[in-house]
Amino acid sequence: MALREWPAYKRIPIDVLSASGSELLLSDGRRVLDLYGGHCVNTLGAGDPSLGEVLAQQWKQWSFATNLLDHAPRRDFLAAFEALMPAGEWSVFVTNSGAEANENALKAALAITGRSKVLCFGGAFHGRTAGAARVSDTKRAAYPASPFEAVRVAWNDIAGAQAAIDASVGAVILEPIQSLAGVQEPAPGFLAALRASCERAGALLIFDEVQTGNGRLGTFWASQHFGVMPDLFTTAKGAAGGYPIGLTVARSAIAAATPEGLMGTTFGGGPLALAAAAHVARRIAAPGFLERVRAAGAEFKRSCVRGPIASVRGEGLLLGLVLQTGLKAAAVRDALLAQNVLVGTCDDPAVLRLSPALELPADAPARLARALDAITEAAAPSIRSTLAPSAARP
Ligand code: PLP
C-alpha cells in the first residue's frame, strides 16, 4: 500500500518550516524573502497576528453557518466592502475560489443576456473548471466539450475585439492585467474600447480581478486604476488574506435578474471567510496602505533593472521582470533562490513575476537588487553566458 500526492505540480525544492510576514524559514535554517506571496494570496503577509485573532475569535463565536441563516459577519463583510466598491449599486455572491467566482459570473451573464457566446483573450487564465477553463488560453484548459461557444481574440487587438463583439456575444471576460501570461498590461484605449463595444452589442463586460483586486495595483480594484467599469467582476486569492474565498460581484440590476437557484454553495460565504475578508478590506482601506503599495511598486521598478533584468512592467505589486535576451526564467528564479529570494515564474519563459504581500518590509526592493547583483557576479554559467558585460551594474 502506498499513498502519494498526485504529481500535479513541479515543486520548488525547498522545505519551509514556517513563515512570518514575507520571510520563509527553511528546515536548513535559511531565511528567504518571499516576493511571490503565494501568488497574490498573502495580502497582509504570512501569519498576520490580527487576522489570526479575527479567525480564532470567529471560530469560537460561530464556526460555520448555512447560507440560509443570517449572521453578523455577513453584515460586517458587506459594510467593509461597500466602502471600497466603485460607484454604483453592486451585489456580491461569495464562494470559495477564483474559478468558482468566474464560473458564476459567466453563468449569470449568459443567463441574463440569453446568449451562448463568450469573447475571451489570448494569454488569459481564469481557472480550471469547465467554463473558466474554456475562456483560458493555456494547455490547462483541456475539456472534451465546451459548455458554451468561446471566441478568442489576441490580447490588445482593439480592432479584432470590436469586430468580434456583436449581438451574439453574451459576455466578454478578461483580466485587466494578464498575470500568468507575463504581467501583460492593456494597451491604451483597449479597456475603454471593450466597454464601448459591449454597450453597443448588449454584451456584459466581466473583469477577472482574482489577482488585480484587493489593493494589488495600488487601488482597491483594477477598474478604479484604469477608470473603466465592468458589469460584473470577480476576485479571490488575496481577498481574505489566505483564507479561501471567491467573490462574484455584479451590478445590482444584473444580480436581481439572475434566475433563482442558478447559484449556490455549501462553504461559500461562511462566517470565517467573511470575517477574514472584512478584516483584510479594512486593513487595505486604512490611511496610507494603498500609497505604500504604489511606493513599493515604484521602488521595485526603479531599483531592479540591473543584471539579468532588462525592464519591469505591471502596476503596484503585480510586476513582471523581463529578462535580458536569452535568459530563462526558471534558471534565474533558482539562482535568486540560492541568494534567499523567492520570485515567481509564469507562462512566458522570459519573465519573472513578483506578487508579494502588500505589507512588505521596506528593504525588500533593496534585497532583491542585492540578490540580482550577487547572481550577476557569482552567476550560474547559464545566466552569465547570456549577459552582456555592460548589462551588469554593481
Ligand atoms: N483568475 C485568475 C486571474 C487567476 O490567476 C486564477 C488562479 O491563478 C484564477 C482565476 C483561478 O483561481 P483559483 O485557483 O482560486 O480557482
Side-chain angles (χ1 to χ4, degrees), residues 97-100 102 125-128 175 179 208 210-211 236-237:
S97 71
E100 223 183 326
N102 285 332
F125 183 67
H126 299 292
R128 290 175 173 81
E175 302 151 82
S179 179
D208 173 343
V210 166
Q211 296 211 20
K237 292 209 188 282

Side-chain angles (χ1 to χ4, degrees), residues 40-343:
C40 297
V41 169
N42 295 330
T43 308
L44 305 177
D48 179 77
S50 65
L51 180 55
E53 281 292 306
V54 165
L55 282 166
Q57 190 54 38
Q58 186 56 51
W59 178 261
K60 281 188 226 154
Q61 211 161 37
W62 197 6
S63 51
F64 176 76
T66 155
N67 270 309
L68 298 177
L69 296 176
D70 205 359
H71 48 71
R74 218 185 275 297
R75 296 186 288 277
D76 192 44
F77 161 80
L78 287 175
F81 264 76
E82 187 174 42
L84 301 162
M85 281 294 138
E89 301 281 321
W90 298 93
S91 297
V92 58
F93 186 73
V94 187
T95 52
N96 308 284
S97 71
E100 223 183 326
N102 285 332
E103 207 73 24
N104 280 321
L106 291 165
K107 201 162 39 152
L110 294 179
I112 282 165
T113 56
R115 301 175 184 178
S116 58
K117 197 194 280 183
V118 178
L119 189 101
C120 56
F121 291 94
F125 183 67
H126 299 292
R128 290 175 173 81
T129 51
R134 184 70 187 93
V135 290
S136 297
D137 178 24
T138 69
K139 297 172 268 324
R140 303 165 188 88
Y143 261 96
S146 171
F148 49 76
E149 190 185 344
V151 179
R152 185 168 297 132
V153 172
W155 180 244
N156 282 334
D157 177 359
I158 294 181
Q162 283 170 330
I165 301 172
D166 60 21
S168 68
V169 172
V172 174
I173 186 167
L174 68 150
E175 302 151 82
I177 294 180
Q178 290 190 330
S179 179
L180 190 61
V183 189
Q184 295 287 355
E185 296 178 73
F190 182 55
L191 299 181
L194 297 179
R195 178 67 276 174
S197 296
C198 285
E199 285 316 330
R200 201 187 55 244
L204 295 174
L205 184 62
I206 305 174
F207 280 0
D208 173 343
E209 295 228 31
V210 166
Q211 296 211 20
T212 58
N214 314 301
R216 178 65 40 193
L217 305 188
T219 49
F220 201 83
W221 304 109
S223 55
Q224 295 159 329
H225 174 80
F226 290 112
V228 175
M229 285 304 141
D231 301 298
L232 299 98
F233 62 95
T234 61
T235 195
K237 292 209 188 282
Y243 199 90
I245 194 166
L247 306 179
T248 306
V249 187
R251 292 201 181 275
S252 288
I254 293 173
T258 307
E260 203 184 321
L262 190 84
M263 302 197 293
T265 165
T266 297
F267 289 112
L272 286 166
L274 294 183
H279 179 76
V280 170
R282 289 203 173 98
R283 286 278 293 277
I284 297 174
F289 190 103
L290 290 170
E291 285 82 349
R292 286 197 298 280
V293 171
R294 290 196 287 274
E299 186 53 25
F300 277 114
K301 281 188 168 173
R302 200 191 63 73
S303 60
C304 293
V305 182
R306 63 210 296 145
I309 309 302
S311 61
V312 181
R313 63 188 181 217
E315 295 295 336
L317 288 172
L318 182 60
L319 297 172
L321 311 183
V322 183
L323 298 173
Q324 301 278 4
T325 310
L327 293 182
K328 291 274 177 290
V332 181
R333 190 264 322 269
D334 292 349
L336 285 171
L337 193 52
Q339 298 296 326
N340 299 328
V341 176
L342 176 65
V343 299

